[in-house]
Amino acid sequence: MKEEAEKNNYEFITPTLECTYCKEADATNFDEIVLNAKRDILLEFYSPYCSGCQEMAPIYDKIAFALHSLYEKITVVRFDITENEIPQSGKDVGMKVEVTPSLYLVQHSTPSIEVALFEGGHDFGSIMEWLELKTSYITPSAIQA
């Protein structure tokens, strides 16, 4: 799309998907933010051009807000796959993107990293229910409404 716009002398504007409480990861800081974190990470691989990602953006923003009070235990992170490739270190722990958006929970609570792919519906309730099942600290009373 970008190349086509430039070829036709059009200004290309990348869609902005807002997420106020999300941390942004890229290929240069992926290990630091995702793999070497001292807390769990909810990670979204997305593309701003993907209609499913555009639909998911306000939901992910709501999840990030809801989990913000648990910042010492979990951080909500996004990774734009149109601008960056998943680093080899991410692939080594089992991360891959076959569709966007793709959500992973990266848990650092054990001596080794555990990575789980979310395979449910991309709605607030389904994602929060999955997080409640996967963690001991995410409960309805622990999150912000």
Side-chain angles (χ1 to χ4, degrees):
M1 281 190 276
K2 183 177 181 179
E3 294 82 16
E4 185 176 326
E6 289 172 352
K7 185 173 110 179
N8 294 314
N9 293 323
Y10 292 115
E11 180 182 7
F12 183 80
I13 300 172
T14 300
T16 301
L17 305 184
E18 296 293 330
C19 193
T20 306
Y21 291 96
C22 291
K23 195 167 206 171
E24 300 290 335
D26 60 35
T28 65
N29 63 13
F30 184 85
D31 287 0
E32 175 188 347
I33 290 176
V34 177
L35 298 182
N36 298 333
K38 302 291 186 223
R39 61 186 63 86
D40 293 345
I41 302 295
L42 178 62
L43 174 63
E44 176 192 32
F45 289 106
Y46 77 101
S47 165
Y49 309 106
C50 159
S51 62
C53 298
Q54 292 170 359
E55 291 173 14
M56 174 77 170
I59 296 165
Y60 202 62
D61 190 35
K62 183 177 177 181
I63 290 167
F65 175 77
L67 297 177
H68 186 67
S69 63
L70 298 172
Y71 186 76
E72 294 297 319
K73 297 182 182 206
I74 189 166
T75 301
V76 179
V77 178
R78 298 189 316 172
F79 187 97
D80 181 349
I81 62 162
T82 61
E83 296 293 325
N84 301 275
E85 294 222 5
I86 300 173
Q88 187 60 47
S89 56
K91 293 175 185 176
D92 290 346
V93 296
M95 293 181 189
K96 61 182 176 179
V97 176
E98 294 179 353
V99 297
T100 54
S102 288
L103 294 178
Y104 283 91
L105 179 63
V106 182
Q107 294 182 283
H108 295 276
S109 54
T110 61
S112 61
I113 295 173
E114 289 185 33
V115 177
L117 173 65
F118 175 68
E119 299 182 281
H122 288 158
D123 60 273
F124 182 84
S126 296
I127 295 167
M128 293 305 293
E129 184 177 299
W130 177 69
L131 290 171
E132 288 173 30
L133 290 171
K134 299 294 283 179
T135 69
S136 61
Y137 54 85
I138 296 176
T139 63
S141 62
I143 61 172
Q144 296 180 13

